[in-house]
Amino acid sequence: MALFKIENLSFKYEGEKDYALHDVSFDMNKGETLAVIGRSGCGKSTLLRLMKKSVSPKGELLGRVIFSSDDISKTGFVFQNPFDQSVCETVYDEICFAPQNLGISSDDIRRRTAEVCEFFGITDMVTKKMSELSGGEVQLVNLAAVSVLSPEVIILDEPYSQLDPISCDKLTGALRKLKDELGTSIVISSHSLENVLPLVDKVLVLDAGRVSDFGKTDQVFLKLLRKNDPLCLVAGPLIPLCKDKLIKTVKQAREYIQKNGVRYSAMKPSLTGCGEASIFAKNVYFRYDKKSDDILKDISLKIKKGRAMGLCGANGSGKTTLMKVLAELRKPYAGRVKSCGGSVYLPQDARLAFVKDSVLEDIKFMCEMSEIDTAEIHRISQRYAIFNKIDRLFSKHPYDLSGGELQLAALFKALVCGKSIIFLDEPAKGFDPYAKADFISLINEIKKNTAVVISSHDIELLTEICDDISMLFGGEIICFNAACEFVFKNSFFTTALARASRGICDGLALSSQLGGAE
């Protein structure tokens, strides 16, 4: 039975000349999971928001969105940024908020809240403040908060983009329970479906606001794979192993490798940038106030010019705080930090990098305040391939950009600064496979003359791009290794291919290694 039916849907935002969506038509049935994929700015978030009236954007709408129920509570929506959705102080109040606003009785609210907390395994969190939770915990609470109304469908816009691998597994487990045990339909937009792929029944591919493909998961991704379209990597790094069958899990990949073997080039340590240190930290301790616990404990490290260092660890482990201390935006209460040359820090929420009403106006304002020649704007846009079409974003308000476009604009602004040390906090979380490949090339280019520090939950990205990777746990650096050593030592904070090939193909961790000679 049809749950959603989208008929000839076109949409144009207020004040815009071009349509964000063009003649989009598809349908999905009850109990199905639909994935919406495509390049950054192709209209994915716009489509998802139009599928729930209360969060639909303003603009010119043509065509129809037909939902099987007129009850607004039957459609739940989980936003890309976990912290954008919470409105209450405590977890309990957050989960109660929606049913209270719908006039549901207090007895029924208590029953529903208790039930949903048990279902999602978050009973021990109910008395905590939302501000005390990690990004992964907040996202789980957001999911529980929309599930308390027993919706027929839950729509999720890039729900994994800010979560560590453990939190990703927890969120996937919750979605699996909703689908398998309650029959809840799921619509998910993501540039990485690796975690949730086994749950996906159908895939809708958008290209510049138009439907370029729609069908069963295996059919769509194998078609992309056989065309050598980088978009196939949305299905995860395991997909290039076989062009005849969609490999969805590490178990399937391991069985395939054992049976068929693979050709690959073994990963080797990077020998670049072995010169002087650009950043030096020794015995650094930091806390936000005198009565709070230490966020950073006895941090000592050197980051050398010409190398990219990755930071990983669970949500709340201290990665962002460490980057701010190294960038000298925060001062440690003990220990010292020394850097050679100025630094620029790009925050995890890229919206915080902008203060003006358009991207270009903001960058020019920065140039004026920092006495940077505005000719640098043109030079950077011409020098790096990833910025070849950046000018189409210049006239837009930063908040009107898609997640990937916003990250691109913020990265461009950081490079215009011309500093010798760049700190990037989750810089590629909104990037499609095309943009991610360009980003990798960009970092490899700029690190020739610059020290780069990247914090990310994307272990594939860190392994591909970084020379060294550090892992934080409880505010301490528990390991600092060359990327190839790091990825083969770990079982959880590692890549899918490293798990699948362990003990079979030594030195295989990335899909980019496939096809070479060992």
Side-chain angles (χ1 to χ4, degrees), residues 14-35:
E14 282 188 351
E16 293 292 328
K17 295 181 181 179
D18 300 324
Y19 279 86
L21 296 173
H22 305 267
D23 198 27
V24 173
S25 296
F26 68 93
D27 57 65
M28 68 174 292
N29 297 322
K30 290 186 176 181
E32 287 184 335
T33 297
L34 170 69

Side-chain angles (χ1 to χ4, degrees), residues 162 164 295-296 310-326 345 348 425-426 453-457 462 470-473 475 493:
Q162 299 189 42
D164 61 73
I295 305 298
L296 301 177
L311 288 174
C312 71
N315 292 98
S317 61
K319 300 186 299 298
T320 294
T321 302
L322 176 57
M323 295 186 80
K324 289 181 178 180
V325 169
L326 293 175
Y345 168 76
Q348 183 170 340
D425 200 350
E426 289 288 353
V453 182
I454 303 172
S455 171
S456 180
H457 293 307
L462 293 183
S470 293
M471 184 174 181
L472 271 70
F473 179 76
F493 281 79

Side-chain angles (χ1 to χ4, degrees), residues 359-369 372 374 377:
V359 172
L360 184 58
E361 182 185 358
D362 191 279
I363 296 173
K364 285 184 175 180
F365 175 73
M366 177 196 69
C367 290
E368 180 183 346
M369 297 300 292
I372 299 170
T374 54
I377 299 173

